[in-house]
Amino acid sequence: MKIIDSHFHWWPRSIFEPLLKREGFPKAVVNARGGYTYHGANGRRGTVASWKEWFDLDEQLAYMDSLGHDISVVCSIGPLSIYFSELPVEEGRDAALAWNEEMAWAQRRYPDRVWASAAIPLVDTRVAIEVLDDAVNRLGLMGVNLPGSVGKDGMIDDVRLEPFYERVAELGLPMFLHPTDAVFADVMQGYNDALHLSLGRVVEVSAAASRLILSGMMERHPGLKIVMSHTGGALPYQSGRMDKNSKTAGLTKPVSHYLHQMFTDTVSPHSAGQKFAIEYFGADNVMYGTDYPCWDPAVCLKLLDEIEMSAATKQKIFHDNAVRILGLKPPEAAAA
C-alpha cells in the first residue's frame, strides 16, 4: 500500500552545532543516547531530549522500507520548534534559515518521497514573514511549524502576529501545531517527567489550538490550515464543554465549528482514540502519522488495522488526505 506519514521527524545534526557552543540559554549538550538534550531560554525546567534515531535520514527511510509498504514522509520539527523563538531575533532568523536549507536539501535528495516544512522564528513578526516567504518561494518547502508557545511567556495568538497568519492563509500553507516544553513542564513536574510527557504536551497543544480559535484568528482568516498533532490533543473529547463555556469569547459560531475545520493525525497509542478522532474530525480531515522516531510506525499500523474502515476510507487516511491537505506536489510541479 502507498502511504504518506504526515508526522515524521528528522533533525539535522548541523542544527545542533551552534547550540553546543552557546554559553547561555538556550543551549544543548550531547547526551548518552547518541543525541542531544536541549535546555530552553532562561534555564527553564523543560528540556527536549533526542536520541540517535532522529538524525540519519537514510536509516530512517530504510526502516520505513522494512514495514512492507511504500511509505513517503513529511518532516516537521516537533518539540524543538520553540528553539527558533527563544533566541535573539537575528540569531533565531539565522537558525531558522539553516534549518530550512537542510529541509530543502532533503526534498531535493528524495523527490516524491520526502516533503519538509519550515522553521519560523516568531518573536519578530516582520522577520517571521520574511523567513516564511523565503522558505516557500526560494526553497519550495510545503508548510510551516508552529510551537505551542512563543518562548516561556509568549502566546501564539498575540495580536502582533496577525499579519503572519494572514500571509500563511494567503499562501494556503498547512501549519503544524506541536507542543513544546516551555510552559507545562513546570506545572506538571514530577514522576521523572511522566506526568508532563503523558499529559502536559497534550494540554499545551490543546491550549494553543484553543487560543487560535478563541482569539478569532480562524474566524478572520478562514484559509488557515491548522494540523493538530496527537489526534487533536484533548479538544475532540471536550468539544461540548468548549461550546458551553466559551460563549464569552464573542465568536459568531461555536468553538466546535472551528475545531472541525482543523486537521489531525493518527498519533495515539490507542485504537479507540484513533477511531474517535476519525469520527470527530471526519475521514477527510485525518492523516496517517506516527510521530517517528518517538513512536514505532509498526505499532501505529497494527492499531489502525483494528479499526473497521472501508477501502475508500483507508485510501484517504493513509494517502489521499495528506496530498490534498498538505498540498504535496511532485518536485517539477512545486518548482513551477
Side-chain angles (χ1 to χ4, degrees):
M1 183 178 186
K2 192 171 181 61
I3 291 175
I4 297 175
D5 190 336
S6 69
H7 190 155
F8 177 96
H9 302 305
W10 165 61
W11 290 357
R13 286 194 183 272
S14 63
I15 298 303
F16 287 84
E17 292 171 4
L19 264 173
L20 295 173
K21 298 174 183 176
R22 289 189 107 252
E23 295 183 0
F25 295 102
K27 65 180 182 180
V29 296
V30 176
N31 62 34
R33 302 175 67 189
Y36 310 92
T37 300
Y38 172 78
H39 297 269
N42 304 314
R44 58 176 170 77
R45 203 189 71 82
T47 61
V48 177
S50 56
W51 48 96
K52 66 182 183 64
E53 282 78 10
W54 288 76
F55 300 101
D56 191 317
L57 185 56
D58 290 335
E59 289 186 5
Q60 289 181 318
L61 294 177
Y63 182 68
M64 297 298 113
D65 292 336
S66 75
L67 297 171
H69 299 281
D70 178 3
I71 300 179
S72 300
V73 301
V74 179
C75 297
S76 56
I77 301 175
L80 193 65
S81 56
I82 188 71
Y83 158 52
F84 307 93
S85 298
E86 290 198 303
L87 292 166
V89 174
E90 291 187 1
E91 196 176 348
R93 177 201 61 204
D94 292 346
L97 292 174
W99 173 277
N100 295 344
E101 289 281 3
E102 290 278 13
M103 293 299 112
W105 168 85
Q107 287 192 154
R108 292 193 302 270
R109 181 170 181 177
Y110 296 102
D112 280 334
R113 178 143 201 216
V114 173
W115 289 272
S117 51
I120 306 291
L122 294 175
V123 291
D124 183 285
T125 306
R126 178 185 58 81
V127 170
I129 294 173
E130 289 175 357
V131 173
L132 168 68
D133 284 340
D134 178 72
V136 175
N137 297 324
R138 182 174 69 88
L139 297 176
L141 299 183
M142 45 64 62
V144 299
N145 291 271
L146 198 63
S149 53
V150 182
K152 183 175 177 61
D153 301 315
M155 300 297 181
I156 63 169
D157 58 336
D158 196 310
V159 66
R160 69 170 178 82
L161 288 171
E162 186 103 22
F164 168 75
Y165 290 117
E166 183 177 10
R167 181 63 174 149
V168 172
E170 179 184 343
L171 293 170
L173 298 173
M175 295 193 301
F176 295 95
L177 180 58
H178 196 286
T180 67
D181 299 315
V183 178
F184 288 96
D186 290 329
V187 178
M188 296 186 173
Q189 61 179 303
Y191 311 104
N192 294 319
D193 282 335
L195 183 59
H196 170 245
L197 293 174
S198 59
L199 186 59
R201 286 181 173 175
V202 172
V203 173
E204 185 189 6
V205 75
S206 301
S210 297
R211 285 189 170 277
L212 291 176
I213 294 172
L214 296 175
S215 65
M217 204 72 73
M218 292 187 68
E219 192 167 86
R220 293 189 296 275
H221 306 289
L224 284 177
K225 293 200 292 188
I226 299 170
V227 181
M228 281 196 71
S229 56
H230 310 146
T231 58
L235 292 183
Y237 315 96
Q238 299 301 325
S239 179
R241 185 175 181 85
M242 293 295 293
D243 285 347
K244 172 179 174 290
N245 292 342
S246 298
K247 295 183 176 67
T248 54
L251 299 174
T252 60
K253 294 181 175 65
V255 169
S256 58
H257 169 82
Y258 304 98
L259 279 175
H260 282 107
Q261 292 180 338
M262 292 183 174
F263 308 96
T264 194
D265 54 38
T266 58
V267 180
S268 173
H270 185 212
S271 60
Q274 294 173 325
K275 183 174 184 289
F276 183 63
I278 295 168
E279 292 172 350
Y280 181 83
F281 287 99
D284 290 329
N285 285 14
V286 178
M287 299 173 284
Y288 171 77
T290 67
D291 206 1
Y292 180 82
C294 291
W295 194 33
D296 189 347
V299 177
C300 185
L301 289 167
K302 180 178 181 297
L303 290 174
L304 285 169
D305 194 47
E306 295 174 4
I307 303 172
E308 186 175 342
M309 289 186 282
S310 68
T313 297
K314 287 184 178 180
Q315 179 67 25
K316 289 179 180 181
I317 290 173
F318 281 104
H319 183 272
D320 293 358
N321 286 350
V323 173
R324 173 180 54 84
I325 295 166
L326 305 181
L328 303 183
K329 299 175 184 176
E332 61 273 13

